[in-house]
Amino acid sequence: MKIETRKQQIINAAATLFKEKGYSAVTMRDIAKSMGIKASSLYNHISSKQDILTTIIISLAEEFTNGMDVIKTSQIDSIEKLKQIISLHISITTSNTFGMSSLNSDWMHLEERLDYYLKLRDDYEENFRCIIINGIKNKEIIDVNPEVMLFSILSTLRSLYLWIPKKEDLKQEELVENLSQVLISGVQK
Amino acid sequence: MKIETRKQQIINAAATLFKEKGYSAVTMRDIAKSMGIKASSLYNHISSKQDILTTIIISLAEEFTNGMDVIKTSQIDSIEKLKQIISLHISITTSNTFGMSSLNSDWMHLEERLDYYLKLRDDYEENFRCIIINGIKNKEIIDVNPEVMLFSILSTLRSLYLWIPKKEDLKQEELVENLSQVLISGVQK
DNA sequence: TAATTTAACTAACAATTGTTAGTTTACTGT
DNA sequence: ACAGTAAACTAACAATTGTTAGTTAAATTA
């Protein structure tokens, strides 16, 4: 029983290249070369280039959906839910910075599964929005345009993949703490 | 004296497509078709596909550099400088959401001008970092890892191009106000 | 050992890519 | 009317693309 299937190795190699140059600029020959084999050999393990991208993106999107499902139904206050969301993003991103690049930048190249992806993303955003709006109702969160808050926090969380690899010295829990403070309490003294 | 040169029209058409699918996935024939002409006709006005991308990205990057140069030397406190940076991003992004997409997602496909772009970007980040660090020294800004604050704010500002076109009802000054509040004071009541 | 599976290979394909050369058309200023 | 220029066109190119077919070598299972 192998720890990592050949297919998974291909997907990891591909994700690494996708992060560097984007899905469209990476050729099957590039992926093969990075593994020391020929492009045609890839097709023993995957069915198409599309298949690679779809696998990368959908599996990550579903991780986020599952994480959000837990958070939204848990009995904690709104601010705590925000912290859990921050923690979810840091956790998923830390364990797959390359895949997160495709999720953020190459989703438009999904074909059959594009609609499914968009539904997952919309639902995720809607759940996030509800948490914020509930926080405003409860007087836990300031009464500012919730769209601005949603966008601001989510933009930072979605960009983590660009930044986490460059700051490997920063421990995960420490990052959760610091980022929660900045996103929730701001930067002003 | 034409208001918009043919070259600028091509660049605008290209930027629109680049935002949809990314630089690599857009062909010269796509750009030409969106203008109702043939691909070869484009070469009466631009010298290469690269040339289009370079023009889009470098002109925007220089706008940011110029804006930052004004802000960093002005005699205002650190929090006010942050607000000016937020305003700068909103202003540039509002007037060119398509180009901002290339700046954020396609810069790695620059060739001869890649190093120049990276220098502008590094310098911009360094100036931003200095403003934050100075704010911490002055006790205007909380004493948290400045890299986390820099990353958090900059990620939001760099993602504005994705979001501003979807919220056209929100006026620019209103957005500056709301976003400043969220980024500087946080969301917690 | 024999049979099966896994995973590599070579060779080739049809389509698409950015770009060039050479030509034609229509406007602009003299 | 004429010359010059701006901006379109057709046709073609060499290179690269994702993918398939058919084959071979090594590892695994019976």
Side-chain angles (χ1 to χ4, degrees):
Chain A
M1 205 175 335
K2 257 183 252 148
I3 303 248
E4 193 181 37
T5 68
R6 197 74 175 130
K7 172 165 180 171
Q8 196 55 56
Q9 288 176 14
I10 291 172
I11 287 167
N12 291 343
T16 305
L17 294 173
F18 291 168
K19 187 180 177 196
E20 263 176 51
K21 317 200 292 173
Y23 173 75
S24 302
V26 173
T27 71
M28 296 301 278
R29 285 163 181 85
D30 289 336
I31 299 170
K33 188 167 244 175
S34 84
M35 305 186 69
I37 62 177
K38 299 288 173 174
S40 53
S41 304
L42 296 170
Y43 289 83
N44 288 315
H45 309 280
I46 51 96
S47 62
S48 65
K49 191 187 175 190
Q50 260 299 305
D51 177 40
I52 298 175
L53 183 70
T54 303
T55 305
I56 292 172
I57 292 181
I58 298 296
S59 65
L60 274 169
E62 289 176 341
E63 270 193 74
F64 279 101
T65 297
N66 296 338
M68 178 61 88
D69 284 347
V70 173
I71 294 168
K72 76 174 176 193
T73 58
S74 68
Q75 298 297 321
I76 50 180
D77 64 33
S78 305
I79 293 292
E80 190 55 38
K81 282 183 181 173
L82 287 189
K83 284 186 192 166
Q84 296 274 342
I85 291 173
I86 292 166
S87 177
L88 176 68
H89 278 259
I90 290 174
S91 165
I92 294 176
T93 302
T94 298
S95 63
N96 195 350
T97 52
F98 298 107
M100 286 303 299
S101 176
S102 299
L103 182 71
N104 277 283
S105 305
D106 289 319
W107 56 267
M108 72 286 280
H109 300 114
L110 291 173
E111 292 169 5
E112 299 95 34
R113 304 294 285 276
L114 176 59
D115 287 345
Y116 175 58
Y117 162 77
L118 290 176
K119 168 126 179 62
L120 291 185
R121 193 180 68 173
D122 286 352
D123 289 351
Y124 189 86
E125 289 180 7
E126 183 57 25
N127 285 324
F128 203 151
R129 191 172 1 248
C130 281
I131 289 171
I132 291 173
I133 290 172
N134 258 305
I136 297 174
K137 281 198 197 124
N138 302 343
K139 317 269 188 200
E140 294 176 69
I141 292 176
I142 55 169
D143 191 8
V144 167
N145 188 335
E147 293 301 312
V148 174
M149 294 190 264
L150 173 61
F151 154 74
S152 177
I153 297 173
L154 207 38
S155 293
T156 294
L157 297 178
R158 283 178 173 160
S159 303
L160 278 165
Y161 75 99
L162 291 169
W163 187 75
I164 284 183
K166 293 197 274 191
K167 313 278 164 181
E168 280 181 335
D169 50 319
L170 200 56
K171 274 197 280 287
Q172 189 164 328
E173 305 131 37
E174 203 182 334
L175 180 54
V176 173
E177 268 318 301
N178 284 351
L179 196 55
S180 295
Q181 189 175 359
V182 170
L183 290 177
I184 294 171
S185 309
V187 300
Q188 190 167 27
K189 201 156 203 170
Chain B
M1 207 181 326
K2 258 183 251 150
I3 303 249
E4 193 180 35
T5 68
R6 197 76 174 129
K7 173 164 179 172
Q8 197 55 56
Q9 287 176 16
I10 291 172
I11 287 168
N12 290 342
T16 305
L17 294 172
F18 291 168
K19 187 181 178 195
E20 263 177 51
K21 319 201 291 174
Y23 173 74
S24 303
V26 173
T27 70
M28 295 301 278
R29 285 165 181 83
D30 290 336
I31 299 169
K33 187 168 247 174
S34 85
M35 305 187 68
I37 61 177
K38 300 288 172 175
S40 52
S41 305
L42 297 170
Y43 289 84
N44 288 315
H45 310 280
I46 53 96
S47 62
S48 65
K49 191 186 177 192
Q50 260 299 305
D51 177 40
I52 298 175
L53 184 69
T54 303
T55 304
I56 292 172
I57 292 180
I58 298 296
S59 65
L60 274 169
E62 289 176 341
E63 271 194 74
F64 279 101
T65 296
N66 295 339
M68 178 61 89
D69 284 346
V70 173
I71 294 168
K72 78 174 174 193
T73 57
S74 68
Q75 298 298 322
I76 50 180
D77 65 33
S78 305
I79 294 292
E80 191 54 39
K81 281 182 182 173
L82 287 188
K83 283 186 193 165
Q84 297 275 342
I85 291 173
I86 292 167
S87 178
L88 176 69
H89 278 259
I90 290 174
S91 165
I92 294 177
T93 302
T94 299
S95 64
N96 196 348
T97 51
F98 299 107
M100 286 303 300
S101 175
S102 299
L103 182 71
N104 277 283
S105 305
D106 289 318
W107 56 267
M108 72 285 280
H109 300 114
L110 292 173
E111 292 170 5
E112 299 96 32
R113 305 293 284 275
L114 177 58
D115 287 344
Y116 174 58
Y117 162 76
L118 289 176
K119 166 126 180 62
L120 291 185
R121 192 179 69 174
D122 285 351
D123 289 351
Y124 188 87
E125 289 180 7
E126 182 57 24
N127 284 325
F128 202 150
R129 193 174 357 251
C130 281
I131 290 171
I132 292 173
I133 289 172
N134 258 307
I136 298 173
K137 281 199 197 124
N138 303 342
K139 317 271 188 200
E140 294 177 70
I141 292 176
I142 55 170
D143 191 9
V144 168
N145 188 335
E147 293 301 312
V148 174
M149 294 190 265
L150 173 61
F151 153 75
S152 178
I153 296 173
L154 208 38
S155 294
T156 294
L157 297 179
R158 283 178 173 160
S159 302
L160 278 165
Y161 74 99
L162 291 169
W163 186 76
I164 283 182
K166 293 198 274 189
K167 313 278 166 183
E168 282 182 334
D169 50 320
L170 202 54
K171 275 198 279 286
Q172 189 163 327
E173 305 132 37
E174 205 182 335
L175 180 53
V176 173
E177 266 319 300
N178 283 350
L179 196 55
S180 294
Q181 187 174 0
V182 170
L183 290 177
I184 293 171
S185 310
V187 301
Q188 190 167 26
K189 202 157 202 168

